[in-house]
């Protein structure tokens, strides 16, 4: 039986957090980029700053929940060599745990310490986040290397996205 969609406080709070991150990225662009920066470059900067905030804040919080949020009970995979702990946002009550519980309604892997998702998120938080930061730095300095690193980052994002979502295609 299919359940109907519910827009609850967690949904609204999560969407407002995304809007706040986007507004922050735009605000930062107004503060750090030259006033003569073209609309195209400003949009690209906003996208990369938004990207770094999402990687560090949201995806970083997923990793935090995977490593530090748990409940007592038998672990299905002995994660972190803890056979009597189940890790993931399903077992937390923090706002970030609730955010990932909401996301897990569509894909259960995001509520647990799923090893595939953890491996991809480690790459994004420790690799793509700093790279997006570097792209923003290059844009602020008007360094033409930004185009090379944007291409590398975009390729990595496409690869990571396919790694996250392609497994879902096998479910249908």
């Amino acid at each position: 039986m299919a359940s109907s969609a519910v827009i609850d406080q967690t949904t609204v709070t999560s969407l407002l957090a995304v809007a706040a991150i986007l507004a922050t990225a735009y605000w930062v662009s107004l503060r750090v980029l030259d006033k003569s920066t073209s609309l195209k470059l400003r949009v690209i900067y906003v996208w990369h700053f938004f990207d770094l905030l999402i990687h560090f804040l949201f995806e970083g919080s997923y990793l935090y929940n995977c490593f530090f949020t748990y409940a007592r009970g038998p672990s299905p995979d002995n994660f972190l060599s803890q056979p009597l702990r189940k890790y993931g946002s399903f077992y937390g009550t923090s706002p970030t745990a609730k955010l990932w519980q909401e996301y897990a309604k569509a894909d259960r892997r995001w509520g647990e310490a799923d090893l595939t998702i953890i491996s991809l998120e480690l790459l994004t938080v420790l690799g793509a986040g700093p790279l997006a930061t570097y792209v923003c730095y290059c844009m602020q300095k008007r360094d033409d290397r930004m185009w090379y690193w944007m291409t590398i980052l975009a390729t990595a994002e496409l690869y990571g996205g396919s790694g996250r979502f392609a497994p879902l295609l096998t479910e249908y």
Side-chain angles (χ1 to χ4, degrees), residues 7 31 38 63 66 72 76-77 97 102 122-123 128-129 133 152 154 156:
I7 297 179
R31 298 293 178 261
S38 70
L63 291 174
C66 286
R72 300 258 178 231
D77 56 10
E102 186 72 17
L122 283 169
L123 290 171
T133 304
I152 298 298

Side-chain angles (χ1 to χ4, degrees), residues 74-85 87 115:
S75 171
D77 56 10
N78 197 28
F79 183 63
L80 299 178
S81 298
Q82 297 291 328
L84 299 178
R85 289 183 182 175
Y87 286 88
L115 298 178

